[in-house]
Amino acid sequence: MTTQLTNATSATVGAKPGSLKALIESTLHMPFPFLANPHEQVAAAGVDTWLRRWGLTADPAVADMIVRTRPAQLASYNSPTMDADLLQLVADQIAYQFVFDDRAEELGRPGPDRLLPLVCESVAILRDGEPPVTQLGAALADLHRRVRERCTPAQAARWAWHSREYVHGLLYEAVAQSHSLPPRIALVTSIRALIAGVEPFYPLCEAAQPAELTERELHHPAMRRLGRLSADAAVWIPDLFSAVKEHRTGGLINLALAYRRAHDCSLPQAVTLAVRRINGTIEEFQRLRHTIAPELSPAGAGYVDGMAGWIRGCYHWSRVVPRYAETAGVPVGA
């Protein structure tokens, strides 16, 4: 049984009047109610064990990052109805991507070429089944093995393809970060779509359904559009809450910061513009979901519910995760 709160109740938790966080919460339209998976605490303990197994939290900085990002909580909010085993896989993969993303940023900032060995190892594991040579590679190989065990061959192939796209996206981000001129909004959103890391989880959403989706459902133009809308909204929402941190650390691939550069405006004004775009994306998702609903099988409907879960989950996680806590202390007038 999932844990549920009304959106009105959950939207006020931790909000300080006049803060950037309060602005986001008061203007962002979130039609999906808060839900949490009852297996969240077990998954959190499992994440800690899994990360230690592969040596990924031996570095105190990485261990602290995991505490501040709460990957099992994000998995719980995104996937509230998944069984315990599948939720653990989702939570471990989220934790892995947090570690991988930070490592890729660390390597890529001095120059994109320094990121190539990590990218090439990941692609070799995902595409060719090559043995890993690093701790991160070993963790990825373990995820790949578990996905193949839990998913159908077609679902596992889609997971590997989306995961490779995510890895390549981090290389594109490093290139953009190294360029002398900040990227425009269109380029930011294009790269953000790649590095979001949301779409690798869609095959796991499918695996949670009672049956595999038909090819017609899976490749229906409306279904493909729903996937794009879900992934964009899911990653743009954390961009609102992380903009303060990203601005401080020199990050460029962030929707709110892209609007700030494009319009030469304050951060609250940029966040307001980004919220409008996100609201439009969610509204389109809802309209399209309603349109295609009569054509979907129970598995197809559950798959779309999984996409909606990523929008809802990323919102509620972003509001409470320590990683973005400073957003509550930034006054709108700043």
Side-chain angles (χ1 to χ4, degrees), residues 33-112:
F34 173 85
L35 294 171
N37 195 298
H39 305 295
E40 179 182 327
Q41 295 306 312
V42 174
V47 165
D48 291 340
T49 299
W50 186 79
L51 289 171
R52 285 197 304 270
R53 176 185 176 187
W54 300 110
L56 298 184
T57 47
D59 182 345
V62 176
D64 179 66
M65 181 273 292
I66 292 296
V67 170
R68 291 184 293 106
T69 53
R70 300 178 181 173
Q73 185 178 55
L74 179 55
S76 169
Y77 293 0
N78 288 338
S79 309
T81 61
M82 278 187 175
D83 63 65
D85 289 341
L86 193 53
L87 181 72
Q88 189 66 66
L89 177 54
V90 170
D92 290 348
Q93 184 175 335
I94 290 172
Y96 164 82
Q97 288 185 189
F98 282 153
V99 177
F100 190 94
D101 188 83
D102 280 6
R103 180 60 174 157
E105 184 177 356
E106 176 188 345
L107 289 173
R109 276 192 181 274

Side-chain angles (χ1 to χ4, degrees), residues 35-326:
L35 294 171
N37 195 298
H39 305 295
E40 179 182 327
Q41 295 306 312
V42 174
V47 165
D48 291 340
T49 299
W50 186 79
L51 289 171
R52 285 197 304 270
R53 176 185 176 187
W54 300 110
L56 298 184
T57 47
D59 182 345
V62 176
D64 179 66
M65 181 273 292
I66 292 296
V67 170
R68 291 184 293 106
T69 53
R70 300 178 181 173
Q73 185 178 55
L74 179 55
S76 169
Y77 293 0
N78 288 338
S79 309
T81 61
M82 278 187 175
D83 63 65
D85 289 341
L86 193 53
L87 181 72
Q88 189 66 66
L89 177 54
V90 170
D92 290 348
Q93 184 175 335
I94 290 172
Y96 164 82
Q97 288 185 189
F98 282 153
V99 177
F100 190 94
D101 188 83
D102 280 6
R103 180 60 174 157
E105 184 177 356
E106 176 188 345
L107 289 173
R109 276 192 181 274
D113 57 305
R114 295 187 59 191
L115 191 53
L116 287 174
L118 187 64
V119 169
C120 290
E121 180 192 22
S122 301
V123 171
I125 291 168
L126 293 166
R127 186 190 61 200
D128 304 321
E130 292 291 325
V133 296
T134 67
Q135 291 175 316
L136 269 173
L140 177 59
D142 182 67
L143 290 173
H144 197 190
R145 174 189 61 80
R146 291 160 63 190
V147 167
R148 293 195 303 270
E149 290 175 354
R150 179 60 191 254
C151 297
T152 67
Q155 290 166 354
R158 287 192 284 275
W159 179 91
W161 190 91
H162 286 303
S163 296
R164 293 198 302 272
E165 188 173 62
Y166 159 71
V167 169
H168 286 134
L170 291 170
L171 183 58
Y172 302 156
E173 180 185 30
V175 172
Q177 286 282 158
S178 68
H179 201 271
S180 58
L181 294 176
R184 297 181 181 274
I185 290 179
L187 186 58
V188 168
T189 56
S190 179
I191 295 174
R192 200 70 182 97
L194 292 170
I195 65 173
V198 172
E199 288 174 298
F201 293 93
Y202 290 165
L204 302 184
C205 292
E206 185 185 358
Q209 306 312 314
E212 193 169 6
L213 271 67
T214 65
E215 288 295 309
R216 181 180 180 278
E217 283 183 311
L218 195 62
H219 298 295
H220 192 291
M223 187 71 85
R224 295 173 70 88
R225 179 61 179 165
L226 284 168
R228 178 76 272 124
L229 294 167
S230 167
D232 283 344
V235 74
W236 290 344
I237 289 170
D239 277 2
L240 303 174
F241 292 88
S242 69
V244 175
K245 179 183 73 71
E246 291 293 324
H247 178 64
R248 187 185 70 249
T249 59
L252 297 177
I253 310 304
N254 175 288
L255 183 67
L257 295 184
Y259 272 107
R260 186 180 190 181
R261 292 191 301 269
H263 295 274
D264 191 23
C265 60
S266 69
L267 184 56
Q269 289 171 324
V271 163
T272 298
L273 293 172
V275 165
R276 290 175 186 169
R277 181 162 184 175
I278 295 167
N279 284 346
T281 301
I282 294 173
E283 289 166 7
E284 184 183 349
F285 180 91
Q286 287 289 76
R287 290 195 303 270
L288 195 55
R289 181 187 193 184
H290 178 74
T291 299
I292 196 178
E295 302 179 45
L296 298 178
S297 67
Y303 182 63
V304 175
D305 287 344
M307 293 180 182
W310 272 88
I311 301 174
R312 175 194 60 237
C314 286
Y315 170 68
H316 290 292
W317 170 81
S318 296
R319 294 176 54 255
V320 300
V321 71
R323 186 180 180 99
Y324 305 146
E326 61 190 306

